[in-house]
Amino acid sequence: ETGAKGKPVFTINPEQVRTTLMTLYHDIYDARVSIDFPAEMTIELTERVPVVEWDFGGSSFWIDQDGMVLNESRSREDTIHVYADSFPGASSQEDRNLPSYFSTDVLQTIKTMGMYVPEGKPLYFTYKNGFGWDTEEGWRIFFGKTDSDIEEKKRMESSLTKYFKENDIEPIFVSLEFKDAPYYRFVEN
């Protein structure tokens, strides 16, 4: 309710109507309200556009380009899908109190990681290991909770892939979260 219904148009404050809409509906990115005499009010709304869909144990929420968490939205083709058991900034793995927004740094990390995910593979996030995905070779790799040193970590991934192939090692899990202490688990043949 904007408070404008049934009022004469000359008594309506367009900025107050805009503020009310923006406060009541956080899925609105912007609102323009104009008054035209003798008796017309026009409201133009711009919705927030999700750039990330976060699948959190079977229920989803979306994040827009500013980091705002949206409870309901529609994913677009270019939306980054993240399958997660937690979220960045959680106080523990059991923490289910979602923030109302994610920082610019977290959003940038998601976008950066999304650029590296192999085609057709989902992006994962775990409380313990951060962001990762399944490689073309079939093993899961994690890079940590931020995109720091991602270029170096990707080179390490390439070197490890070569090493695994040359030595007939079948890893099931690789962590490059700490670039100075990478580790992996493998299936013994």
Side-chain angles (χ1 to χ4, degrees):
E1 176 79 30
T2 62
K5 187 176 182 178
K7 291 187 176 181
V9 73
F10 59 86
T11 65
I12 296 171
N13 178 338
E15 188 55 37
Q16 186 176 20
V17 172
R18 179 188 183 282
T19 301
T20 301
L21 288 169
M22 298 293 290
T23 302
L24 291 177
Y25 306 102
H26 79 275
D27 289 359
I28 295 174
Y29 181 74
D30 194 20
R32 283 192 245 154
V33 180
S34 60
I35 302 293
D36 294 317
F37 293 103
E40 187 175 302
M41 178 172 66
T42 304
I43 300 174
E44 295 176 45
L45 301 176
T46 304
E47 290 183 88
R48 293 185 177 277
V49 177
V51 294
V52 176
E53 180 178 350
W54 198 274
D55 185 327
F56 191 38
S59 61
S60 294
F61 63 88
W62 291 260
I63 306 169
D64 81 346
Q65 69 275 7
D66 295 328
M68 176 74 75
V69 172
L70 311 171
N71 293 323
E72 292 185 29
S73 192
R74 291 190 187 123
S75 292
R76 301 175 344 168
E77 193 173 303
D78 59 346
T79 302
I80 300 168
H81 296 267
V82 180
Y83 296 90
D85 71 358
S86 187
F87 56 90
S91 60
S92 70
Q93 191 164 353
E94 291 75 34
D95 186 356
R96 296 295 183 249
N97 296 316
L98 291 175
S100 57
Y101 70 93
F102 285 90
S103 73
T104 307
D105 291 340
V106 168
L107 194 57
Q108 185 56 51
T109 294
I110 295 168
K111 289 177 181 179
T112 299
M113 293 299 184
M115 292 184 327
Y116 288 104
V117 176
E119 179 94 20
K121 304 284 185 177
L123 178 61
Y124 295 104
F125 179 86
T126 69
Y127 180 78
K128 291 181 180 176
N129 305 108
F131 292 96
W133 51 79
D134 293 332
T135 66
E136 297 292 338
E137 294 76 23
W139 34 278
R140 189 159 294 170
I141 187 165
F142 285 94
F143 295 90
K145 294 181 181 179
T146 70
D147 59 0
S148 64
D149 302 314
I150 188 64
E151 293 295 330
E152 184 175 352
K153 291 175 181 180
K154 286 295 292 171
R155 286 190 296 277
M156 290 171 69
E157 175 191 15
S158 181
S159 295
L160 282 171
T161 300
K162 182 179 176 186
Y163 174 79
F164 294 150
K165 285 180 182 178
E166 289 172 353
N167 293 283
D168 199 28
I169 296 172
E170 295 180 36
I172 55 173
F173 176 88
V174 177
S175 175
L176 300 178
E177 179 178 5
F178 304 104
K179 67 178 182 172
D180 296 327
Y183 69 92
Y184 63 91
R185 290 193 300 258
F186 60 95
V187 176
E188 291 197 41
N189 295 331

